[in-house]
Amino acid sequence: MHRIELGARLVEERKRLGYNQTDFGRVGGVSKGSQILYEKGDGAPNGDYLSAIALAGVDVQYVLTGMRSSCAMTPAERVLIERFRACPPALQDAAMRVLLGEETSPGQQIFHGDVGQVIKGGVDQTGLHLSVGSRKKK
């Protein structure tokens, strides 16, 4: 492993995540001076440092080898994946449509059943008003 190349990739990841050297050093549990040494290739980060920066979203595989990992995620990406997996299928489908830029036309709803049924259709009933919740009388 060439430390200068490792240092350059470390700088790249730090900047990608929006950290300055002081804050990034704190994330990794080291001083700004140690962070500077790592980035210059004059020092080698240990496992505790690499583990800590990985939790902040650094692609440690990339830092060490120059090859991007398909599983490195920022904290926000981890939360998104966890919440997506916890959602019912209909909500997952809606989230995917939003993320992929797909839209249903106004009034159209798509439901996916437990055994793969897909029901598509529009709702066009003038005068139909639905309310959810309850009102308290004053």
Side-chain angles (χ1 to χ4, degrees):
M1 154 176 67
H2 294 85
R3 287 188 184 164
I4 293 173
E5 293 171 2
L6 181 145
R9 291 190 293 266
L10 194 55
V11 170
E12 184 182 338
E13 285 292 278
R14 174 177 59 79
K15 289 181 177 180
R16 178 180 68 84
L17 295 171
Y19 285 99
N20 62 37
Q21 288 175 317
T22 302
D23 292 338
F24 199 64
R26 278 193 202 116
V27 167
V30 300
S31 67
K32 179 181 178 181
S34 293
Q35 183 65 39
I36 290 170
L37 288 176
Y38 296 162
E39 291 182 7
K40 289 169 63 177
D42 290 338
N46 65 23
D48 290 338
Y49 171 87
L50 294 171
S51 179
I53 65 172
L55 292 174
V58 171
D59 185 345
V60 173
Q61 177 178 314
Y62 173 69
V63 170
L64 294 174
T65 67
M67 295 175 17
R68 288 273 176 203
S69 170
S70 62
C71 61
M73 291 187 280
T74 65
E77 290 168 331
R78 269 194 297 280
V79 168
L80 183 64
I81 296 297
E82 289 168 7
R83 297 235 173 123
F84 180 84
R85 288 178 178 166
C87 290
L91 189 52
Q92 287 179 353
D93 184 57
M96 288 302 296
R97 285 196 316 272
V98 169
L99 292 171
L100 296 173
E102 299 172 8
E103 293 184 25
T104 57
S105 60
Q108 182 183 24
Q109 296 180 354
I110 300 174
F111 298 94
H112 295 275
D114 291 338
V115 291
Q117 312 96 313
V118 176
I119 303 168
K120 294 184 179 183
V123 177
D124 187 14
Q125 296 179 1
T126 308
L128 179 63
H129 299 285
L130 300 174
S131 63
V132 178
S134 61
R135 291 186 184 170
K136 292 184 177 180
K137 293 184 180 181
K138 293 184 181 180

